[in-house]
Amino acid sequence: MKHILYIIGFLLSLTVFSQEDKVLVITDSTVADNWMILGMDWRYQKGDNKLWANPEFDDSTWNKFSSNNLNLLDGKNVIADRGEIVWLRKRIMADQSLNDALVLNIFQEGASEIYLDGKLIHQLGSVSSNKDEVIYHNPFSQVLHLPLEIGKEQILAVRFVNAQYKYPIYYHNGLIRIYISSLRNANSTDVVKNKRVAFFQQYVNSYYISLGLAILMFIIFLSFFIFFPKEKINGYFAASLLFLILFTLGVLSFYHNTGTYFWLTFYYDTCILISSLILLFCFYKILAQPIDLVFKAISFLCFLTIGCYFLYDPEQLGPIWSIFLYAGIIRLSLKSWNKNKVASFLFLSSSCINLAFWILMICWYMGLVDQRIDKFIPFSFMLVPVVLAIYLGYAFGKRSQDLRLNLNRVQELSKEKESILSQQKNTLEQQVKERTAALNQSLEELKTTQSQLIQSEKMASLGELTAGIAHEIQNPLNFVNNFSEVSNELVDEMNEELDKGDLEEVKAISLDIKQNLEKINHHGKRADNIVKGMLQHSRSNSGTKEPTDINALADEYLRLAYHGLRAKDKSFNAELITDFDESIGKVNIVPQDMGRVILNLITNAFYAVNEKKQRDVSFKPIVAVSTKKSDEHITISVSDNGDGIPEKVKEKIFQPFFTTKPTGQGTGLGLSMSYDIVTKGHDGKLKVETTKNKGTTFIIELPN
């Protein structure tokens, strides 16, 4: 019986002992160089009552559980759904061996209050049963003091509300994980001992290195693009680096931000996807490959992945898309191997490394790999841009070397061309000399021809003048001859009458003889004047101006020209109209030159009206010569009522050798010489006014 009582007593004591909560004893050795997860021997209760933090509260009816995530019973079932409050209690005691302060580090997706023996020691966010009043706070990078008393069993209570964000919608964990360590370990930079803090610091430092490198490359390649805009690949690469910089800044801000979670990760994960997509585009450009279906598919997956961030964890979707990306680059590199082996080798190597890395990352997410390889993520993101920058630098250097070689070839070709040009120049100069000599000879021949033409024109003018003069002399000579013959007959009659003794008749005959002698004298003087004028005209031109009766000069040449024309064509008749301003007086001119001009103009006028008369027998030719004096000019006008001058030849009539007359009837020098005499010899003007079918008027303006 006694033994039975002992056995019953022993079993009762085991029952009581099994119902007592285990006390976590913290020793110096367990936390000196380690972050220990407080995941064992917890009790929990859904609901909210702050008295549950009291160490005297009896939580024996609460459920027990052990889990690294205090919101998961067995790693699968969530205790508190989104917006629900749950209380957690645990017995804990600091061992006498502990000789350092204890600290906590909490990673949570919600808000919590930490109590020690009923006393609130940390408030992480704002815990409330009202979802709108909950303030999210995740102090994963902070170290929190845990003031345990040595050797005293104490109650550590946690009031936690699951306030994880709405997105991604398939992620409803509501995680809360509590680590404990010594203060000395928390301050240590040894990544092996102090993984919890030192690892993240190392992680952040890696991103800072990546950020600096990305900014440096961005500045360099943006500058290349600005100074060499035709090299668009530099611009594309700079754009990719810009998104990489934005991604890195987002990651770095994440570790200093204890509130925002989803939208921040959405932002920087989107940035890294766009950066990688632009990089893929750069590969297509560098490897001279057309945008194909693979690129479009990867682009589609990129934007699909961004959209799926609202459903699934961005940190796990990104690596999956990265595998497609690097597989695409590997395919592209193999496809371009024969065209550009250097670029293909670099891109293929870096992409294989990245592909292997992201496969390992997925294995790590799935728990198939124990080692934390996520610390290499920054270097993974930088590997491909760095390789691309190296290749662009190599391509730039190679292009510069090619340009230098081409420049040398161009210089050699330039020397050859220069030599050829020199020879061609000498040949050309020789040809120019020969051509110049030929032109000079042609010019001399032309001058000779011109002189002959001028002489011919002079002779033509002289012939016309001579004909007119001959006609003028013929008239007085006829009178002289006729009157002398008549006088001779009268003398015979007078002698007969003397013999008859008829003195009256003798006196009458003598009066007739006297009148005849007077007429003979008159016509003799007229012939003398004509001869004097001919001699004056035949004198060489001295170029000396002298006072001249311009009216007499015009009248004389009008008649000389008219009779000269009639001497050649007896059928020609024209009405001559003169209107001379008697107030002109004598004008200081070179009479031979001006006479030649007037004669030329009048001769042309007679020619014009004669031509029209040949076609129209009813036409009455009229040639008018007038003079007029004004305050500024002496004007001499020669008009005809011929056909007029066509507008298309009007501007050419003063050009040398231009004539509208048939061949042999004009040299084309008359108006040209007249123009030079008037404008250059007398500082005057020679103008023409003409109307079709009504006639032409040449106007000479001489300074008064």
Side-chain angles (χ1 to χ4, degrees):
M1 186 63 184
K2 185 177 179 179
H3 291 88
I4 293 174
L5 291 176
Y6 285 154
I7 292 171
I8 293 174
F10 175 73
L11 293 175
L12 287 174
S13 62
L14 288 177
T15 303
V16 173
F17 180 74
S18 63
Q19 292 178 347
E20 290 181 353
D21 291 334
K22 293 184 178 178
V23 179
L24 175 63
V25 179
I26 307 298
T27 65
D28 188 68
S29 59
T30 56
V31 296
D33 298 322
N34 182 38
W35 282 94
M36 182 176 65
I37 299 178
L38 298 181
M40 302 298 292
D41 301 323
W42 286 86
R43 286 180 182 272
Y44 75 93
Q45 178 63 43
K46 293 174 66 173
D48 189 24
N49 187 348
K50 292 190 176 181
L51 293 177
W52 292 347
N54 193 325
E56 303 301 330
F57 175 75
D58 181 10
D59 58 6
S60 59
T61 59
W62 288 14
N63 295 319
K64 292 182 178 180
F65 79 106
S66 296
S67 175
N68 290 341
N69 181 359
L70 300 186
N71 195 34
L72 291 178
L73 290 177
D74 50 6
K76 295 180 180 179
N77 299 317
V78 174
I79 297 176
D81 289 327
R82 186 166 179 265
E84 288 185 323
I85 298 177
V86 62
W87 276 85
L88 307 165
R89 284 170 61 94
K90 181 178 180 63
R91 298 182 182 279
I92 190 170
M93 183 177 71
D95 187 70
Q96 295 292 338
S97 61
L98 188 66
N99 54 12
D100 194 4
L102 294 174
V103 293
L104 298 176
N105 177 252
I106 299 177
F107 187 92
Q108 65 180 14
E109 293 173 346
S112 62
E113 294 174 353
I114 309 300
Y115 295 88
L116 184 63
D117 280 348
K119 181 180 179 181
L120 179 65
I121 58 174
H122 296 292
Q123 183 168 359
L124 309 177
S126 177
V127 180
S128 174
S129 57
N130 187 345
K131 293 181 180 179
D132 298 331
E133 294 178 355
V134 174
I135 298 176
Y136 187 103
H137 185 71
N138 182 17
F140 68 96
S141 59
Q142 297 177 7
V143 176
L144 309 174
H145 180 54
L146 179 61
L148 280 181
E149 297 180 18
I150 301 297
K152 180 183 178 182
E153 180 180 321
Q154 295 177 276
I155 296 297
L156 179 64
V158 178
R159 182 180 179 229
F160 172 72
V161 60
N162 179 1
Q164 67 182 42
Y165 289 97
K166 181 179 180 181
Y167 300 109
I169 61 177
Y170 288 113
Y171 188 72
H172 291 285
N173 193 340
L175 182 146
I176 176 170
R177 184 174 294 162
I178 301 176
Y179 299 84
I180 186 170
S181 183
S182 65
L183 180 61
R184 182 177 62 253
N185 182 54
N187 293 329
S188 172
T189 58
D190 190 333
V191 71
V192 177
K193 298 177 180 177
N194 183 22
K195 293 181 181 178
R196 186 65 193 156
V197 176
F199 179 83
F200 283 114
Q201 188 59 47
Q202 186 184 54
Y203 193 66
V204 169
N205 290 340
S206 299
Y207 271 102
Y208 274 117
I209 295 172
S210 301
L211 177 63
L213 189 58
I215 292 175
L216 180 62
M217 289 195 297
F218 171 73
I219 294 173
I220 292 174
F221 285 94
L222 181 62
S223 301
F224 280 155
F225 177 68
I226 292 174
F227 293 119
F228 306 100
K230 290 185 178 179
E231 296 289 336
K232 294 183 179 179
I233 188 65
N234 294 322
Y236 299 141
F237 187 42
S240 172
L241 290 170
L242 176 62
F243 279 98
L244 181 60
I245 291 170
L246 294 176
F247 158 76
T248 309
L249 291 174
V251 172
L252 291 174
S253 64
F254 175 81
Y255 291 106
H256 299 287
N257 189 314
T258 57
T260 306
Y261 179 75
F262 171 75
W263 287 110
L264 184 59
T265 58
F266 178 85
Y267 147 69
Y268 65 68
D269 282 324
T270 300
C271 286
I272 192 60
L273 287 185
I274 294 176
S275 172
S276 301
L277 191 61
I278 297 175
L279 269 182
L280 180 61
F281 181 75
C282 292
F283 292 144
Y284 271 84
K285 291 297 179 182
I286 291 174
L287 298 175
Q289 293 291 336
I291 300 301
D292 55 9
L293 186 59
V294 174
F295 179 83
K296 294 177 182 177
I298 293 176
S299 301
F300 173 75
L301 289 175
C302 172
F303 294 105
L304 181 63
T305 302
I306 293 173
C308 288
Y309 285 167
F310 292 95
L311 302 176
Y312 302 100
D313 188 359
E315 303 295 334
Q316 298 177 4
L317 287 176
I320 297 174
W321 179 83
S322 297
I323 291 174
F324 289 104
L325 169 69
Y326 293 115
I329 298 175
I330 291 171
R331 168 188 167 274
L332 195 66
S333 301
L334 294 174
K335 190 178 179 181
S336 307
W337 183 264
N338 293 328
K339 293 182 179 179
N340 192 339
K341 291 184 179 179
V342 176
S344 298
F345 173 75
L346 291 173
F347 302 155
L348 179 65
S349 303
S350 59
S351 298
C352 287
I353 294 173
N354 266 318
L355 181 63
F357 173 78
W358 286 110
I359 291 175
L360 288 175
M361 277 296 299
I362 293 177
C363 293
W364 179 71
Y365 285 137
M366 297 173 65
L368 301 177
V369 175
D370 293 334
Q371 296 294 328
R372 292 203 61 174
I373 60 173
D374 53 335
K375 61 183 177 182
F376 299 109
I377 289 178
F379 301 108
S380 172
F381 286 134
M382 290 304 301
L383 179 59
V384 174
V386 168
V387 169
L388 183 56
I390 292 173
Y391 175 74
L392 289 178
Y394 161 77
F396 183 79
K398 190 173 185 304
R399 194 179 301 117
S400 299
Q401 186 178 8
D402 293 340
L403 287 175
R404 223 171 14 252
L405 293 175
N406 290 333
L407 181 60
N408 293 333
R409 294 194 192 99
V410 170
Q411 288 177 344
E412 293 176 358
L413 289 174
S414 297
K415 290 180 181 178
E416 294 178 4
K417 295 292 183 185
E418 188 176 354
S419 175
I420 294 173
L421 284 175
S422 178
Q423 294 176 0
Q424 291 180 345
K425 181 182 177 183
N426 295 333
T427 304
L428 187 60
E429 287 179 350
Q430 182 63 30
Q431 291 177 349
V432 168
K433 288 181 181 177
E434 294 174 358
R435 296 289 188 279
T436 303
L439 287 174
N440 288 333
Q441 184 178 356
S442 299
L443 182 59
E444 292 299 326
E445 292 175 354
L446 183 61
K447 286 181 179 178
T448 303
T449 304
Q450 185 179 10
S451 300
Q452 292 173 352
L453 288 172
I454 293 173
Q455 187 63 29
S456 175
E457 180 67 19
K458 287 181 179 178
M459 292 305 292
S461 299
L462 181 59
E464 294 175 354
L465 180 62
T466 304
I469 292 171
H471 187 273
E472 283 295 305
I473 292 175
Q474 185 66 40
N475 283 336
L477 286 177
N478 288 336
F479 279 110
V480 170
N481 292 331
N482 291 336
F483 281 114
S484 61
E485 291 175 357
V486 171
S487 296
N488 190 28
E489 292 175 355
L490 286 174
V491 171
D492 293 338
E493 288 180 4
M494 187 176 66
N495 290 330
E496 291 176 357
E497 293 299 329
L498 284 174
D499 293 337
K500 293 177 181 177
D502 189 355
L503 297 176
E504 292 295 327
E505 186 64 20
V506 171
K507 289 182 181 178
I509 293 172
S510 65
L511 290 175
D512 291 337
I513 293 172
K514 185 178 180 181
Q515 290 176 354
N516 287 345
L517 291 174
E518 289 176 351
K519 290 181 179 178
I520 290 171
N521 180 264
H522 169 73
H523 289 290
K525 289 182 178 178
R526 184 182 171 193
D528 182 63
N529 288 333
I530 293 171
V531 171
K532 286 180 180 178
M534 184 179 64
L535 293 173
Q536 186 179 11
H537 191 284
S538 63
R539 286 200 301 266
S540 60
N541 181 15
S542 61
T544 304
K545 293 181 181 178
E546 57 185 62
T548 306
D549 185 349
I550 201 76
N551 291 338
L553 186 69
D555 183 67
E556 178 186 354
Y557 281 98
L558 171 63
R559 298 188 185 285
L560 287 175
Y562 179 65
H563 292 300
L565 184 59
R566 277 185 55 81
K568 293 188 289 186
D569 183 6
K570 297 296 185 182
S571 64
F572 175 73
N573 284 298
E575 182 182 357
L576 306 181
I577 300 175
T578 57
D579 182 13
F580 297 133
D581 187 351
E582 298 298 334
S583 65
I584 291 178
K586 292 187 176 180
V587 181
N588 199 27
I589 60 173
V590 180
Q592 294 83 2
D593 290 347
M594 192 53 65
R596 184 178 299 169
V597 172
I598 294 172
L599 177 63
N600 189 277
L601 296 180
I602 293 172
T603 302
N604 286 343
F606 282 136
Y607 180 85
V609 296
N610 191 29
E611 285 290 312
K612 192 171 182 180
K613 179 65 177 179
Q614 299 295 326
R615 300 192 305 273
D616 184 5
V617 294
S618 62
F619 172 68
K620 184 180 180 181
I622 299 174
V623 173
V625 179
S626 64
T627 59
K628 187 177 180 181
K629 180 180 180 182
S630 65
D631 294 338
E632 299 177 352
H633 302 105
I634 300 296
T635 304
I636 305 169
S637 300
V638 178
S639 303
D640 66 74
N641 60 343
D643 292 328
I645 301 173
E647 283 295 327
K648 61 181 181 180
V649 302
K650 182 178 176 182
E651 296 179 354
K652 302 178 181 178
I653 60 174
F654 295 121
Q655 295 178 4
F657 306 108
F658 180 80
T659 179
T660 58
K661 295 178 182 177
T663 305
Q665 297 187 23
T667 61
L669 293 173
L671 285 177
S672 174
M673 289 191 299
S674 299
Y675 186 82
D676 290 342
I677 290 171
V678 173
T679 58
K680 299 178 181 177
H682 293 81
D683 297 328
K685 295 180 180 177
L686 178 57
K687 301 185 292 186
V688 59
E689 296 176 354
T690 181
T691 305
K692 188 176 181 181
N693 296 326
K694 290 186 178 179
T696 304
T697 299
F698 284 90
I699 302 170
I700 302 170
E701 287 184 356
L702 300 175
N704 189 6

